[in-house]
Amino acid sequence: MRGVRRLGVVCLLATILSYVECQNEYLFLSNGTDILRLLPGGTSSVVISSQYIGRAVGLAIDRDNGLLFWSDVSASKRGIYKADLNGDNIRKIVDNDVYEVNGLTVDWAANNLYWTDERTRRIEVADYDGGKRRTLISTGLQFPRGIVAEPKNGYLFWNDQGTKKIERSKLDGTSRTVLVGSGLYWPNQMTVQYSGGTEKLFWVDGWNKTIQSCSLDGSNLNQAVSDLTSVSDGNPLFGLAVYKNNIYTSIWNNGKIVTGSTKTVVYSGIGSDKMFSLAAVDTTLPDLGMNNQCHKMSTGCSHLCLPTGATTSRCSCPTFGGLTLSSDSKTCRKLSKILLYALADAGEVGYADTAVLQSATGLLDRYLVARSNRPVAVAYDPLQQMVYWSDVYDRAIYRAKLDGSQREVFLNSSQSIGIVDGLAVDISQGRLYFSNMGFVTVNNVAYSWQRIEMIRLDKSERKIIVADVEKPRALWVDQANKYLYYSDWGTTARVMRSKLDGSGAIEIKTGLKNPNSILVDGADIYVVDARAKDSSVNGSVLKGNKDGSSLNDLSAIQLQTPFGMAKDGKYLVVSDWGSSSIKSLNTDTGAVTEVISGLGKPMGLLVTDVQNSVQSGVPCQGVTNDCTDICVVQPSSSTASCTCSSYDVEVLKTDRKTCAAPQNFVLFADMNAIKLVSLDQNTNRDPQTIIQGNSYFSNFAALVYNKQTQTMYFSDVNRRIIFQAKLDGSDLRTFYSPNHTIDGMTLGNGRLYWTDYFSGKIASVNLNGADMKEHVTGLHKPRAIAVTQTYIFWTEWGNNTRVAKAPLSGGALVILLQGNLKWPNSLKVDEDNNKLYVADGYSKKVYTSDLNGVGRQELPGFNSNAQHLYDINIQDNSLFFSDWTDREIAKVDLSSRSKDVLATTLMRPTQMVVQYTVPPATTPMKVPTTTATAVDTTPPVFTFCPSNMRVVTKETSMTVYWQQPTAKDDRGNVHLDSNLAPGETFLAGSTTQVMYTARDEAGNSAPCRFSVEVVKITTGCDDLPVPLNGNFRCQKSGDNTTCVLGCTNPRFIDTSKYSDKYICANSAKWSPPVTNNALPDVCLLPQPPQEIGYNFVMKLRGSCTNTVPFKSKVVAELIKHLQNMPACFAKLGNSDIKLCYEDQISVNCTNTSGRKRRAVEEFLANLNLVATLQTHNNPSLHADYARLVEFIQNISHSLNDFTVTVDNVDFTTANVSAAPVPAQLRCMDTQANVGGYCVSCPAGTIKDNVLKRCVQCNANQYQDEEGKTSCKNCPPKSTSPKGAFLQSQCIAEVTTAPPEASIGMIVGIIVGVIAVIVIVIVVVVIIRRRKPDMSEDQVDYANPAYEEIPADKLGLKTPEGPYTQLDLNLGSKGDEGYASLHLGRKE
């Protein structure tokens, strides 16, 4: 029953002494490691010990129910907990999707718990069991911290260290308003004081060292209630609690709790110095909030009851769970029909009851399926009740149950997924249709893909059905008539209709601008045209006949930039970027209602039944067909067509039913995939994807094929690996990892040969992966390669572009062709006819000569057949070639010179293999499909992420460097991108969020976030350097400025070299002085000792016989007893721990009573137990050390129970004493002994093995790794400060030309002027050519990916090879721009 007091009598607080005087009234404190009860007289007792806590921060108390709540932000125990006030009945109530809960508060009247989460940037509420949980605030927050519920009036208050505001809402999250918007810096814990019938809001500002207050409406603001600078020692304030007229606050780092009114220190030295939250138990307070309906339990809410005022409330349902509030406004229920929506900026995929479409108030509560970085399109399968959505930031399609469970990655960038704007489920056929486009850039040239695909909902039978589309977006499946509608918002924006397999496409409507959404309802079609390319007009919804005729604007609904659309009977729903809203139009009355507003850019919409038991979800069920692979129902619904998967080696044969592997084919590398096109007669020529790499990280270049073993070998120039696989894609694995950039490969003499573009080598290895040899070195950018039994042939791109050969047995190289070559990309040797073929990509010509380079001539008429020639292959009288610019594989008949395009709409085809085999067998053999590998859904893990940084400057801005984060993944490489880089300039007074994202090759990602705060101080001293892994906290008092240095836990200050406090006085110099402009080695990371042990002395009762057999018997029994302990023989990480051996135990028949006699009544057994840890390359060293300490300490308890029987006499333990054995500090060569700890020399320093300590790198050097013994030199003509810990701190030298005007200078100026004129002319020409599309760039798009320009529209030519730079545009959530991630090498 609510409101029942459990604490007994009311007692008094001695305000004069400023502490609590009786056991039923006290303060609680979270200090990171424990939760303490603060007792009278400055003492304390542990309520919740470190055994149950990782890092406790937030704290809240329900006095009446006798409950204690706290948050734990540690990685191992992260969550929210509750227990009884005496520490009993500990249980975890919230354990998922919480990360950094700093603020915690309770509404004791309604029994609801509220919290802030700085990492998720949300404010949430749950019942006391944590099961009924709801997100209240998820927008407009940066670093939410303190929070307090005020049940008497039904208010919720919180502060934000990012926005530097204090806000208020009702306890249901509505009526949000700003109370205090200035004068705040680091607001932390908040509380409400009830005194004399009035209420006042208090909070601490950690930076300003003040306690501040205001009335509950924001009036009577007092930002200097108490200034605690004098007792804070320069440390920030954190916790706050009020009891009657006394205010208690905790001070971080110095371990003090003081009263605000008298500034008296009432507690100090109680455990950790990290004082976090406070909570007071005050039995003198009256019952508050007891008049609310939630407290009286009169609302009948089935789940959450949320107060909306002093006496009013409303019912609500959990954010996740698939429920919504029913029409009785009390009961949470499952729905039969829903409106699905995606909010890109808010990162939410949600649903609503379709009843909201006719509601005048719109959607009060949002219910979610999932949170996602930037969701766009939504679709639904009512047979499995599964929601599908695309995320254009993650480059992925996800799915989950409506209640949020069973979430998984359906497809991602490792499966060739880019930006997916459109999704549609064909319920009857059990398929998902999706648009798919994206690009990567190499040397400033974009290589793109644009297509529409379909796939079974069990992830099988994936097929590219539309490839000739420029910018696909909207999709709609007309399930009744078996048609697919789709939009293309490219140069010729239009709406198309095709059969469900993509064939028979016709234009429905042209002349559009931005067709974002399509909907078919009976005989009508609705089209959303955002018209974003024309900023002079707003977007609209068009309605007309399904054939595209009579399309007219629905002018009743006023829109700006509409995107998504859905329909439920007479209600048409549209999402509008321009007004940041989702609107509902009653098509009968013209009435318009806002369903959702103020949440950024709303995207995809769908109205759907939650369940459907009519459809089968089985393709072609009831339709006669003999398809061996994919069956697609035709519009008549009585016939079907057969096709084959696009991600398989099999193609459709001449019977139009059977899928089988072709006998004749072209196999080729296409940027991020290995593909095949059939050369068999009368077969489909659509490219088949055999191996699909990561859309953005894979960069396949060289490719060869062994016909005898049906094995292909191909190189990835980004990862510098050679892979091998069977022709059907199975048995894919790493063949060899030479760490070379391999542009060309060939097979011969039982070996695989390759060129290394960067190192200038030609190497080979046996086909078993052994016996690697380097044949030729010292080349300049070798690319193509061929071998005979006696010679290696190759091309070079470098300064001396040429074709050469060298004997395999060793010897001088011979130049075969030189001159009139610029991009010699391909080389083929015809040994039978003594002929050499060389393809030059720049001139688009093929040259021939004999194998000695004699008789060079151009292959006539070929240069008109390619735009950028890469690889060639000669078969009979045909020349096959790959073309980058036209993105195709083609062949030319050398007699008729006719061209036949074999595959088009590719990305960037490179090396290829042309295979002619025996004629097809009578019965085509079914080749196994590509072996599926386990889907990697585990994100990378950051092994190092910088802590929040605080720097000080007297200037208006400051350049800040930080150590680069590092991450690892359990399956391979990790790629990092960030919104900011070390060396950025930040404005004084600003706090900037820096975000790094680690992505693995499966497309999984993990964030690393930290803030850079630049504090401006008025002082005559120079700027303090940025301490690596530390911060300065500065406070000005009079003319002096004091800055205290602190390190991030568990690092410590090397006090032998640095002070922890620096003062700037009238001398305008820091004391002690700071001589260099970098402090890389001030904060050191201690390592555990290599050895740990304890010496146990046992006193045994009984007469000791001073004989070897007696002592041996006691030792043997002791070992037997100890072997039951897990510490005796343990495996900890890489350390083998061996304790409890005979040589570690001795028995001493010492006369403990002092009486001289042969047999004494007590004797001693000594156990010297020492364990050695493996400290080198042991990632679990710290955890091993902690466990080992626990093991050895547990032995003491076991020894107290020891009993041994010798010669029928029992000996028992009298007592056990233990003393630690001094640990032997054995540091590795890369570590130094500092203050009794082994420390790895931090970045910016190295271990000097002569001085036996860490020393800073000299000027013009840097070291960006820990634990090194030598520094790295800066690049030529660049300088760095002493102690540089990043290469970016090496700044290029600025040189000044001599003042005399030489002839060379004059010529240079003239050439420069001419160059500028030429550039201006080129720019003007380009602008004029692009003028019709310029309006695209003038629109503020929610996701700039929508304005990506395909490669074939850029008109750019690559100046060199395709592998020198890979620029990946990755959108950042909430950003309007894109960051560029450079992979591979850059010339």
Side-chain angles (χ1 to χ4, degrees):
M1 179 176 179
R2 294 175 178 171
V4 176
R5 293 185 183 273
R6 299 183 180 180
L7 297 181
V9 299
V10 175
C11 49
L12 299 176
L13 176 74
T15 57
I16 298 176
L17 298 177
S18 299
Y19 57 76
V20 181
E21 285 201 335
C22 69
Q23 68 178 33
N24 286 334
E25 294 196 345
Y26 34 68
L27 292 174
F28 281 89
L29 167 71
S30 61
N31 68 355
T33 59
D34 303 282
I35 295 177
L36 306 175
R37 178 190 290 112
L38 307 183
L39 302 173
T43 62
S44 65
S45 66
V46 175
V47 179
I48 308 293
S49 69
S50 58
Q51 177 183 355
Y52 305 100
I53 290 176
R55 188 171 179 83
V57 177
L59 193 62
I61 286 174
D62 183 338
R63 176 199 67 184
D64 296 338
N65 288 297
L67 293 175
L68 173 69
F69 299 86
W70 71 93
S71 66
D72 194 315
V73 300
S74 66
S76 60
K77 297 182 179 179
R78 183 180 291 132
I80 300 176
Y81 297 77
K82 78 172 179 179
D84 296 343
L85 281 178
N86 62 4
D88 292 341
N89 298 318
I90 297 173
R91 53 268 199 208
K92 193 175 190 179
I93 60 174
V94 180
D95 64 353
N96 67 308
D97 199 26
V98 285
Y99 296 93
E100 192 173 341
V101 176
N102 292 307
L104 206 60
T105 186
V106 294
D107 173 3
W108 58 82
N111 284 6
N112 289 328
L113 176 70
Y114 295 79
W115 67 87
T116 62
D117 192 322
E118 184 170 314
R119 178 168 162 185
T120 64
R121 302 181 183 184
R122 296 196 296 263
I123 295 174
E124 301 193 56
V125 63
D127 65 357
Y128 278 3
D129 292 325
K132 299 167 185 175
R133 176 179 171 185
R134 166 139 216 92
T135 299
L136 292 184
I137 308 290
S138 62
T139 60
L141 301 175
Q142 292 185 19
F143 308 125
R145 300 281 288 196
I147 186 170
V148 62
E150 197 283 291
K152 180 181 177 182
N153 297 287
Y155 287 135
L156 182 70
F157 303 87
W158 68 91
N159 58 49
D160 192 315
Q161 291 189 356
T163 63
K164 304 191 186 315
K165 297 177 182 177
I166 292 178
E167 297 187 70
R168 185 193 75 184
S169 74
K170 295 180 181 179
L171 283 168
D172 69 341
T174 61
S175 302
R176 179 178 178 181
T177 185
V178 176
L179 293 188
V180 182
S182 62
L184 302 176
Y185 207 86
W186 281 356
N188 277 320
Q189 194 172 3
M190 314 176 76
T191 190
V192 173
Q193 181 189 49
Y194 297 93
S195 178
T198 61
E199 299 81 37
K200 187 178 291 186
L201 179 68
F202 284 86
W203 64 93
V204 292
D205 192 303
W207 176 259
N208 294 326
K209 318 295 188 304
T210 57
I211 299 174
Q212 304 180 17
S213 71
C214 68
S215 298
L216 299 191
D217 61 358
S219 62
N220 301 313
L221 176 64
N222 183 351
Q223 295 190 305
V225 174
S226 181
D227 189 335
L228 300 178
T229 303
S230 60
V231 292
S232 67
D233 300 327
N235 295 294
L237 311 183
F238 192 99
L240 184 71
V242 171
Y243 182 91
K244 289 186 178 179
N245 294 320
N246 275 328
I247 304 173
Y248 297 86
T249 186
S250 62
I251 303 176
W252 221 56
N253 282 339
N254 71 0
K256 295 178 182 178
I257 296 176
V258 302
T259 58
S261 56
T262 64
K263 303 180 184 179
T264 303
V265 177
V266 291
Y267 296 95
S268 63
I270 45 175
S272 167
D273 288 340
K274 300 297 186 291
M275 300 297 181
F276 288 109
S277 299
L278 290 170
V281 176
D282 182 0
T283 59
T284 66
L285 287 178
D287 290 336
L288 302 171
M290 303 309 172
N291 293 323
N292 194 278
Q293 295 170 340
C294 292
H295 177 74
K296 295 178 178 180
M297 302 183 69
S298 60
T299 60
C301 297
S302 65
H303 285 69
L304 285 170
C305 182
L306 302 177
T308 57
T311 60
T312 59
S313 63
R314 70 180 180 91
C315 301
S316 186
C317 304
T319 299
F320 291 92
L323 304 174
T324 59
L325 200 62
S326 61
S327 58
D328 65 3
S329 298
K330 298 179 180 180
T331 309
C332 298
R333 64 180 177 90
K334 293 185 177 180
L335 295 172
S336 58
K337 183 182 285 189
I338 56 173
L339 168 68
L340 275 174
Y341 60 86
L343 301 177
D345 291 346
E348 296 178 356
V349 179
Y351 64 92
D353 189 339
T354 52
V356 75
L357 303 182
Q358 47 190 310
S359 169
T361 60
L363 187 64
L364 190 59
D365 286 332
R366 303 199 308 279
Y367 301 103
L368 301 186
V369 177
R371 291 190 175 96
S372 200
N373 276 320
R374 195 164 185 83
V376 171
V378 290
Y380 187 71
D381 173 18
L383 298 181
Q384 301 297 324
Q385 292 88 57
M386 193 71 74
V387 179
Y388 292 78
W389 73 93
S390 66
D391 191 307
V392 297
Y393 179 82
D394 293 346
R395 306 309 203 256
I397 299 173
Y398 296 94
R399 68 178 175 185
K401 290 287 189 180
L402 187 62
D403 63 4
S405 64
Q406 299 183 34
R407 175 172 176 168
E408 67 171 342
V409 176
F410 187 72
L411 294 170
N412 63 12
S413 61
S414 67
Q415 296 147 315
S416 188
I417 295 296
I419 295 167
V420 176
D421 285 345
L423 290 174
V425 170
D426 182 350
I427 304 171
S428 64
Q429 305 297 300
R431 289 195 177 100
L432 178 71
Y433 289 80
F434 58 94
S435 64
N436 188 1
M437 69 176 187
F439 75 92
V440 292
T441 58
V442 179
N443 285 340
N444 300 317
V445 178
Y447 297 95
S448 61
W449 69 93
Q450 308 90 14
R451 52 184 179 253
I452 297 173
E453 303 187 56
M454 68 178 186
I455 187 172
R456 285 290 305 277
L457 297 181
D458 63 3
K459 301 185 182 181
S460 66
E461 300 181 1
R462 183 176 173 185
K463 175 72 175 177
I464 298 172
I465 59 172
V466 179
D468 56 343
V469 60
E470 187 180 341
K471 293 183 179 180
R473 176 159 288 173
L475 298 177
W476 183 269
V477 175
D478 182 354
Q479 302 191 56
N481 300 291
K482 304 297 183 287
Y483 283 113
L484 173 69
Y485 293 80
Y486 60 92
S487 72
D488 184 343
W489 63 284
T491 306
T492 304
R494 55 188 178 171
V495 173
M496 305 287 292
R497 189 194 74 186
S498 72
K499 298 176 184 179
L500 291 178
D501 61 1
S503 64
I506 61 172
E507 286 184 346
I508 293 295
K509 179 63 178 176
T510 59
L512 303 171
K513 295 292 185 180
N514 294 82
N516 285 340
S517 187
I518 303 170
L519 185 152
V520 174
D521 183 21
D524 299 326
I525 187 171
Y526 296 79
V527 178
V528 165
D529 188 0
R531 297 173 180 164
K533 296 177 182 177
D534 186 353
S535 59
S536 64
V537 295
N538 285 336
S540 67
V541 178
L542 308 175
K543 177 187 176 183
N545 299 323
K546 278 201 303 185
D547 61 3
S549 63
S550 304
L551 278 175
N552 298 305
D553 280 5
L554 293 179
S555 57
I557 183 167
Q558 298 298 313
L559 303 168
Q560 297 180 35
T561 311
F563 185 87
M565 178 173 51
K567 194 169 185 292
D568 181 31
K570 62 183 178 182
Y571 293 98
L572 183 70
V573 197
V574 182
S575 60
D576 187 12
W577 295 354
S579 61
S580 297
S581 65
I582 296 176
K583 298 181 179 182
S584 170
L585 168 68
N586 186 324
T587 56
D588 289 346
T589 66
V592 177
T593 299
E594 277 197 350
V595 179
I596 297 177
S597 62
L599 292 172
K601 305 294 192 295
M603 309 298 285
L605 301 174
L606 178 68
V607 169
T608 177
D609 291 329
V610 173
Q611 292 184 337
N612 188 321
S613 58
V614 178
Q615 304 287 355
S616 67
V618 179
C620 297
Q621 187 171 33
V623 179
T624 303
N625 72 90
D626 297 320
C627 302
T628 63
D629 196 357
I630 300 177
C631 173
V632 182
V633 177
Q634 295 300 292
S636 66
S637 297
S638 61
T639 60
S641 64
C642 301
T643 187
C644 307
S645 169
S646 299
Y647 295 83
D648 193 354
V649 71
E650 298 179 348
V651 297
L652 193 64
K653 307 303 287 186
T654 55
D655 63 2
R656 317 310 296 172
K657 299 178 181 179
T658 306
C659 295
Q663 301 296 301
N664 309 290
F665 54 83
V666 180
L667 186 68
F668 58 95
D670 186 23
M671 192 70 169
N672 52 32
I674 304 298
K675 298 180 180 179
L676 174 147
V677 62
S678 173
L679 296 178
D680 287 350
Q681 293 294 319
N682 300 318
T683 57
N684 195 317
R685 280 191 176 175
D686 291 337
Q688 299 293 117
T689 299
I690 310 302
I691 303 292
Q692 179 60 60
N694 187 287
S695 301
Y696 299 96
F697 299 142
S698 298
N699 196 1
F700 303 147
L703 169 72
V704 293
Y705 177 66
N706 188 327
K707 176 181 175 181
Q708 286 69 34
T709 61
Q710 291 193 333
T711 302
M712 66 176 101
Y713 303 85
F714 56 96
S715 69
D716 187 326
V717 297
N718 284 341
R719 287 182 285 183
R720 300 182 170 217
I721 292 175
I722 302 173
F723 293 96
Q724 76 172 57
K726 293 297 184 182
L727 181 62
D728 64 358
S730 64
D731 195 23
L732 173 63
R733 62 180 187 270
T734 299
F735 169 70
Y736 197 71
S737 300
N739 197 29
H740 291 170
T741 304
I742 299 174
D743 281 3
M745 294 195 306
T746 190
L747 290 170
N749 309 314
R751 300 177 69 86
L752 176 66
Y753 296 80
W754 66 83
T755 58
D756 181 358
Y757 186 90
F758 261 160
S759 67
K761 299 175 183 177
I762 294 177
S764 72
V765 69
N766 279 335
L767 295 184
N768 61 4
D771 188 29
M772 198 277 276
K773 296 180 180 179
E774 291 184 358
H775 300 278
V776 184
T777 60
L779 306 178
H780 196 192
K781 299 181 180 178
R783 170 158 290 171
I785 184 173
V787 297
T788 64
Q789 291 186 348
T790 54
Y791 280 96
I792 303 175
F793 298 77
W794 69 89
T795 68
E796 289 178 69
W797 266 58
N799 297 329
N800 297 313
T801 307
R802 61 189 180 183
V803 180
K805 71 176 181 179
L808 275 172
S809 58
L813 66 84
V814 177
I815 298 175
L816 303 178
L817 302 177
Q818 197 168 23
N820 293 325
L821 290 174
K822 189 170 183 179
W823 298 344
N825 287 332
S826 183
L827 174 73
K828 292 295 179 287
V829 170
D830 181 355
E831 198 170 11
D832 293 338
N833 296 298
N834 190 30
K835 185 167 286 190
L836 180 69
Y837 296 85
V838 178
D840 184 81
Y842 182 79
S843 65
K844 299 172 283 189
K845 296 178 180 180
V846 177
Y847 298 98
T848 65
S849 71
D850 68 14
L851 297 184
N852 293 314
V854 178
R856 171 178 174 174
Q857 62 178 0
E858 179 187 338
L859 195 65
F862 180 77
N863 62 340
S864 62
N865 287 298
Q867 293 300 310
H868 187 118
L869 191 60
Y870 191 84
D871 195 23
I872 60 171
N873 204 302
I874 311 295
Q875 292 286 341
D876 298 331
N877 200 41
S878 296
L879 187 144
F880 295 77
F881 63 92
S882 57
D883 189 330
W884 286 0
T885 301
D886 287 340
R887 303 163 60 197
E888 65 184 21
I889 300 289
K891 72 172 181 176
V892 172
D893 187 296
L894 295 180
S895 298
S896 64
R897 301 180 185 176
S898 61
K899 177 181 176 181
D900 182 11
V901 176
L902 304 175
T904 187
T905 64
L906 305 175
M907 286 189 67
R908 190 216 54 204
T910 51
Q911 194 167 0
M912 62 182 179
V913 175
V914 178
Q915 183 67 51
Y916 279 115
T917 63
V918 296
T922 304
T923 304
M925 179 180 65
K926 182 79 172 178
V927 179
T929 57
T930 303
T931 302
T933 57
V935 177
D936 179 8
T937 59
T938 303
V941 175
F942 273 93
T943 54
F944 170 72
C945 181
S947 300
N948 293 340
M949 300 181 65
R950 188 185 310 112
V951 297
V952 292
T953 181
K954 63 180 181 180
E955 307 297 338
T956 57
S957 63
M958 187 175 187
T959 300
V960 182
Y961 291 89
W962 56 84
Q963 189 173 354
Q964 290 278 22
T966 56
K968 66 179 181 179
D969 186 66
D970 58 352
R971 294 201 181 186
N973 295 333
V974 177
H975 303 280
L976 296 181
D977 82 269
S978 65
N979 62 334
L980 297 169
E984 299 278 355
T985 299
F986 298 86
L987 294 177
S990 67
T991 300
T992 305
Q993 184 81 354
V994 181
M995 186 176 77
Y996 281 76
T997 301
R999 299 178 187 274
D1000 62 18
E1001 294 173 1
N1004 302 304
S1005 62
C1008 158
R1009 296 186 181 96
F1010 59 95
S1011 61
V1012 176
E1013 180 183 0
V1014 181
V1015 180
K1016 186 172 183 179
I1017 58 174
T1018 305
T1019 175
C1021 296
D1022 293 334
D1023 291 350
L1024 281 173
V1026 180
L1028 193 60
N1029 299 307
N1031 284 306
F1032 279 111
R1033 297 179 305 280
C1034 299
Q1035 185 71 42
K1036 187 173 179 62
S1037 177
D1039 294 332
N1040 294 347
T1041 298
T1042 302
C1043 293
V1044 178
L1045 176 62
C1047 297
T1048 57
N1049 190 42
R1051 295 178 184 267
F1052 68 95
I1053 299 174
D1054 183 0
T1055 55
S1056 66
K1057 297 170 65 176
Y1058 296 101
S1059 171
D1060 62 353
K1061 184 180 294 185
Y1062 294 83
I1063 300 174
C1064 179
N1066 295 328
S1067 63
K1069 293 183 180 179
W1070 290 104
S1071 177
V1074 182
T1075 56
N1076 58 303
N1077 57 2
L1079 293 177
D1081 54 346
V1082 64
C1083 293
L1084 305 177
L1085 181 64
Q1087 299 292 331
Q1090 191 172 23
E1091 289 188 352
I1092 178 176
Y1094 273 80
N1095 180 257
F1096 297 94
V1097 179
M1098 299 177 60
K1099 186 178 291 186
L1100 298 175
R1101 296 187 184 95
S1103 297
C1104 175
T1105 303
N1106 196 15
T1107 63
V1108 172
F1110 177 83
K1111 294 181 179 180
S1112 299
K1113 177 66 174 178
V1114 175
V1115 170
E1117 289 299 317
L1118 265 174
I1119 291 175
K1120 183 178 179 181
H1121 178 77
L1122 290 171
Q1123 283 176 345
N1124 293 322
M1125 296 290 297
C1128 281
F1129 304 94
K1131 178 77 173 179
L1132 297 177
N1134 296 326
S1135 303
D1136 288 309
I1137 309 302
K1138 295 181 179 180
L1139 304 174
C1140 320
Y1141 281 75
E1142 288 186 11
D1143 58 0
Q1144 296 174 292
I1145 303 173
S1146 63
V1147 175
N1148 185 6
C1149 289
T1150 302
N1151 184 349
T1152 61
S1153 64
R1155 296 188 298 269
K1156 296 182 179 180
R1157 43 190 284 183
R1158 181 174 177 273
V1160 296
E1161 304 230 343
E1162 292 180 347
F1163 61 94
L1164 302 180
N1166 292 281
L1167 290 82
N1168 191 37
L1169 307 184
V1170 179
T1172 302
L1173 285 168
Q1174 172 61 45
T1175 56
H1176 183 63
N1177 291 332
N1178 184 0
S1180 61
L1181 179 61
H1182 289 271
D1184 292 354
Y1185 178 77
R1187 289 179 60 197
L1188 187 58
V1189 170
E1190 180 182 356
F1191 285 156
I1192 291 182
Q1193 290 175 343
N1194 286 342
I1195 291 177
S1196 179
H1197 300 292
S1198 174
L1199 292 177
N1200 281 302
D1201 299 328
F1202 175 69
T1203 300
V1204 61
T1205 302
V1206 182
D1207 297 332
N1208 296 319
V1209 178
D1210 293 334
F1211 297 86
T1212 59
T1213 303
N1215 60 64
V1216 178
S1217 62
V1221 177
Q1224 295 189 28
L1225 201 66
R1226 300 177 183 174
C1227 300
M1228 294 183 291
D1229 291 341
T1230 57
Q1231 295 178 329
N1233 184 338
V1234 180
Y1237 294 100
C1238 288
V1239 298
S1240 292
C1241 293
T1245 72
I1246 59 171
K1247 169 67 179 301
D1248 188 318
N1249 284 318
V1250 176
L1251 300 176
K1252 303 297 183 182
R1253 60 184 176 87
C1254 300
V1255 297
Q1256 293 186 4
C1257 290
N1258 293 324
N1260 306 328
Q1261 293 183 320
Y1262 71 98
Q1263 180 51 260
D1264 52 4
E1265 298 177 85
E1266 289 194 354
K1268 297 299 180 182
T1269 57
S1270 63
C1271 297
K1272 303 176 182 178
N1273 292 323
C1274 285
K1277 297 183 179 180
S1278 65
T1279 61
S1280 70
K1282 186 177 181 181
F1285 52 87
L1286 291 170
Q1287 185 179 3
S1288 57
Q1289 291 176 276
C1290 298
I1291 308 301
E1293 295 177 353
V1294 178
T1295 57
T1296 305
E1300 302 87 62
S1302 64
I1303 296 296
M1305 179 183 294
I1306 295 172
V1307 172
I1309 292 173
I1310 295 173
V1311 172
V1313 171
I1314 295 173
V1316 170
I1317 294 173
V1318 171
I1319 291 172
V1320 170
I1321 294 173
V1322 171
V1323 170
V1324 170
V1325 171
I1326 291 176
I1327 290 176
R1328 288 182 175 178
R1329 289 182 177 178
R1330 291 281 296 153
K1331 188 173 183 179
D1333 295 326
M1334 284 299 289
S1335 60
E1336 294 182 26
D1337 298 330
Q1338 299 167 1
V1339 181
D1340 181 22
Y1341 285 95
N1343 190 327
Y1346 299 148
E1347 284 304 292
E1348 293 170 357
I1349 303 173
D1352 55 351
K1353 302 302 178 185
L1354 289 178
L1356 300 176
K1357 307 294 182 182
T1358 178
E1360 201 177 283
Y1363 322 114
T1364 55
Q1365 178 188 345
L1366 176 62
D1367 298 329
L1368 167 59
N1369 285 328
L1370 290 177
S1372 178
K1373 180 179 177 183
D1375 288 348
E1376 297 299 321
Y1378 269 65
S1380 182
L1381 175 64
H1382 305 285
L1383 305 175
R1385 67 180 189 266
K1386 182 176 181 180
E1387 287 298 318

